[in-house]
Amino acid sequence: MANDVSPMRKPVIVGNWKLYKTQQEAREFFAAFKPLVTAAKHCEIVVAPPFTAIAVCVEVVRGSSIGIAAQDVYWANEGAFTGEVSPRMLIEAGCRAVIIAHSERRQFFGETDESANRKVKAALAVGLTPILCVGETLGEREAGSTKKILERQFRGSLAALTPAEFSRIIMAYEPVWAIGTGRTATPEVAAEAHKFLRDLAAGTFTAEYAACLRILYGGSVKPENIKGLMAQAEIDGALVGGASLDPEHFAAIVNY
Ligand code: PGA
């Protein structure tokens, strides 16, 4: 079945480069990638390089529709917070969006729903689009607690958001067991989690806001599985790690 793309839910394909690519490598990537996606009008394209390559990426995508995002942000705009980067700095550098609470941040760097919530609010306050990640671990799925975990992450990370603020976020469902493992969730399993998240959005805000929320799937997305994922009406795009590092693979995903 073709994707029931509501005009209000334009698909978004986000590449998360994680701790890969120097400035030079970023230039080489876009030199190869840009010509492969010039005709792509069906979706928004966003790339999240490491902080040090953001300015170079913004420069080389200028004039195209490709947006640049950061992989994390701190919630204060300035202060004695060694090592952090602020929302205002990301805006100045040319970012449109920022990934928040990626599972690797949760797993290795102490990200919590509470810190994610502060980051979401701080990003929104300067006009950055938060791409908020949620997702259960393998143990949590096997224990049957997927919905409980998703609900806790949803409520904690989005606490005290106004409906207008909520309407500006993008959500990414990233089951931790599928990230970098080659083990993709089946389109049906992903769609079930997306539906659950959308129902939560409807209950917390309104059905109209929920209907406009874009929920991306992330976890071992590849050129070979993107079509099946995007055929699900509940799946509004993808957050792509490993396969976004190669210009041809990422372009094949964009051009699904
Ligand atoms: P992967 O990573 O595509 O390499 O599994 C996805 C992510 O972590 O966003």
Side-chain angles (χ1 to χ4, degrees):
M1 195 184 84
N3 191 357
D4 167 27
V5 179
S6 142
M8 310 190 68
R9 299 217 309 258
K10 187 168 187 184
V12 197
I13 306 288
V14 183
N16 171 16
W17 284 356
K18 309 191 180 187
L19 187 51
Y20 292 95
K21 293 199 193 292
T22 62
Q23 295 186 356
Q24 182 54 33
E25 289 162 348
R27 281 188 199 281
E28 287 162 13
F29 173 91
F30 280 111
F33 177 70
K34 278 205 311 184
L36 301 175
V37 296
T38 40
K41 303 277 180 275
H42 59 288
C43 70
E44 292 177 23
I45 307 169
V46 178
V47 172
F51 287 126
T52 50
I54 285 174
V56 160
C57 291
V58 167
E59 175 199 318
V60 298
V61 303
R62 194 161 288 142
S64 78
S65 61
I66 302 167
I68 300 300
Q71 298 175 17
D72 192 19
V73 66
Y74 192 60
W75 54 78
N77 269 323
E78 56 186 15
F81 302 108
T82 302
E84 295 297 325
V85 173
S86 79
R88 209 163 52 108
M89 291 167 183
L90 294 183
I91 286 285
E92 185 198 37
C95 288
R96 290 187 202 164
V98 56
I99 298 171
I100 293 176
H102 187 278
S103 67
E104 286 149 19
R105 300 300 314 171
R106 295 179 187 265
Q107 191 179 346
F108 304 127
F109 304 101
E111 189 84 86
T112 62
D113 294 330
E114 194 201 347
S115 59
N117 184 232
R118 297 177 82 159
K119 291 176 178 186
V120 167
K121 286 188 197 155
L124 287 167
V126 298
L128 283 167
T129 299
I131 303 170
L132 174 73
C133 302
V134 296
E136 79 288 359
T137 64
L138 183 59
E140 289 161 348
R141 174 159 285 266
E142 284 175 346
S145 32
T146 297
K147 289 184 176 168
K148 195 180 88 195
I149 296 298
L150 293 181
E151 179 163 4
R152 195 202 69 209
Q153 292 175 340
F154 182 99
R155 294 200 189 287
S157 309
L158 301 179
L161 248 59
T162 65
E165 286 172 331
F166 176 73
S167 72
R168 290 166 45 213
I169 75 155
I170 292 175
M171 189 163 272
Y173 169 62
E174 296 216 309
V176 179
W177 47 270
I179 296 178
T181 57
R183 192 177 156 185
T184 330
T186 62
E188 293 72 24
V189 164
E192 191 192 347
H194 286 217
K195 167 95 174 47
F196 177 72
L197 290 166
R198 200 176 302 287
D199 288 347
L200 274 177
T204 311
F205 300 95
T206 66
E208 287 71 31
Y209 282 108
C212 295
L213 173 68
R214 289 184 291 184
I215 308 178
L216 317 183
Y217 167 77
S220 298
V221 173
K222 300 185 222 38
E224 302 79 54
N225 58 27
I226 183 70
K227 220 177 159 61
L229 290 162
M230 293 306 293
Q232 294 286 336
E234 274 296 338
I235 300 182
D236 306 310
L239 180 49
V240 187
S244 72
L245 296 171
D246 178 286
E248 269 150 39
H249 291 177
F250 193 46
I253 291 172
V254 166
N255 295 321
Y256 62 89

